[in-house]
Amino acid sequence: MKKYLKYILFSGAAMCGTVSPYTAPAVAQQIVIEPLFEYPTAPENIENLQERSDWLMSHFWDKFDFKSKSAVDQNALNDAFGVYASAMQFASQSAVDKSVDALLKNIKKNPVLLMQMTKAAEESLYGPRAYLWSDDIFLKFLDALTASKQVKKERKLRAERISTQLRNTAKGAVPPAFDYKDRDGRTARYVPNGVITVIEFGDPGCNDCALAKIKLSTNVKFSSLVDKGKINVLFINPEPEEGWEAQVSGYPANWHVGASEDVADIYDLRTTPAIYVIDRLGHVAAKNIGVETAMEIATAAASQISE
């Protein structure tokens, strides 16, 4: 609902020339966030959605005060960035890249605003309440933050960690190999090895993780491809607690099941469960997707392999 209301606000401002604060959905009372600045209005003679969005990419921050060295209201900045991000999905990639690069150029010498803007970008492009996920755009902010000589090293550590995770697991990248302890207590190692692989990173005690496991193990077509060796399935617990082995005792025998306390440092596991599909070449085909989507991708690819 929040994302929908943000888009309505943005569209309304663009079409009728009015600017009003974003009003969060009420539970006990309404929470009103006053905008930091007047959001821009695309000229009425631009009717094409992409062209309007491209114009907004070029002019969204025109009335923002980049000269101030003081911290701004983070909630208001998050809201502004959310409205900005809502236009990204309709704008051309070149317009988005040019806009973000210009924004970062304006704030790169202002460490306070750079950190705040990176937080706002995380809220809209990466985090659990993100308007849309865009790792490539979010990485621009992380790179600007970690490259800044005016930001203390300890303030960069989280950004560096997320940057590593995103680059390791970008679509088309070969993800890192990792060691894990299997359910029999032996040390095993996952290496992208030319077999289509679905990896579920999750806690066996988590309801959503258990449901994903059930769907993976009971889908007849998918399971038949696993039985034929055309698809591998890994279930990896990234936060194992004592007794986790008993919780996975009933998992399919032809799955690779284990736990790794280190994998969360190198893989992007922002969802629970975090589900990946690795293609035959060992590249990330998809990540942090629903289990049904993962099965569809893996099944379609495996079905093309000759007997």
Side-chain angles (χ1 to χ4, degrees), residues 142 161 260 279 289 292:
L142 295 176
R161 179 172 180 264
S260 171
D279 66 22
I289 55 176
E292 291 89 354

Side-chain angles (χ1 to χ4, degrees), residues 67-292:
K67 295 181 180 179
S68 175
K69 300 299 180 182
S70 301
V72 300
D73 183 296
Q74 186 67 54
N75 288 328
L77 184 60
N78 290 352
D79 186 73
F81 201 101
V83 176
Y84 176 57
S86 71
M88 287 184 179
Q89 62 185 320
F90 304 113
S92 63
Q93 187 62 53
S94 60
V96 173
D97 288 336
K98 185 177 180 180
S99 175
V100 170
D101 291 345
L103 173 60
L104 289 170
K105 183 177 180 180
N106 278 324
I107 64 176
K108 69 177 182 179
K109 294 183 179 180
N110 185 337
V112 174
L113 186 54
L114 176 57
M115 288 189 290
Q116 286 198 283
M117 196 67 78
T118 302
K119 287 181 180 179
E122 178 175 352
E123 182 81 5
S124 287
L125 303 175
Y126 172 85
R129 295 180 296 274
Y131 191 87
L132 72 158
W133 279 349
S134 179
D135 294 355
D136 291 343
I137 298 300
F138 184 42
L139 276 169
K140 287 177 178 282
F141 290 88
L142 295 176
D143 289 347
L145 181 64
T146 56
S148 175
K149 295 180 180 179
Q150 296 172 286
V151 177
K152 294 182 179 179
K153 183 175 178 59
E154 57 268 25
R155 291 181 176 270
K156 300 179 182 181
L157 296 178
R158 184 169 179 274
E160 291 171 347
R161 179 172 180 264
I162 295 175
S163 178
T164 296
Q165 293 168 338
L166 293 182
R167 285 195 163 87
N168 282 347
T169 59
K171 186 174 181 179
V174 177
F178 61 87
D179 293 326
Y180 63 94
K181 180 181 178 182
D182 72 16
R183 52 187 151 185
D184 296 319
R186 298 170 299 197
T187 298
R189 184 171 180 80
Y190 169 67
V191 179
N193 59 3
V195 179
I196 297 165
T197 303
V198 173
I199 311 176
E200 179 184 351
F201 295 98
D203 179 349
C206 150
N207 289 337
D208 289 340
C209 304
L211 181 60
K213 174 260 176 184
I214 291 171
K215 290 182 177 180
L216 287 169
S217 59
T218 58
N219 183 285
V220 175
K221 185 173 183 180
F222 179 82
S223 294
S224 69
L225 291 168
V226 175
D227 291 339
K228 293 175 182 177
K230 292 186 176 182
I231 298 175
N232 280 341
V233 177
L234 272 71
F235 181 93
I236 302 296
N237 185 344
E239 297 181 348
E241 297 181 355
E242 186 175 354
W244 68 267
E245 296 92 341
Q247 292 180 297
V248 299
S249 60
Y251 281 44
N254 58 359
W255 286 18
H256 304 272
V257 180
S260 171
E261 296 181 348
D262 301 322
V263 72
D265 292 329
I266 56 175
Y267 273 63
D268 171 22
L269 306 181
R270 77 184 86 164
T271 62
T272 304
I275 299 178
Y276 278 64
V277 178
I278 311 299
D279 66 22
R280 292 180 67 190
L281 299 177
H283 299 160
V284 176
K287 67 172 183 175
N288 292 323
I289 55 176
V291 63
E292 291 89 354

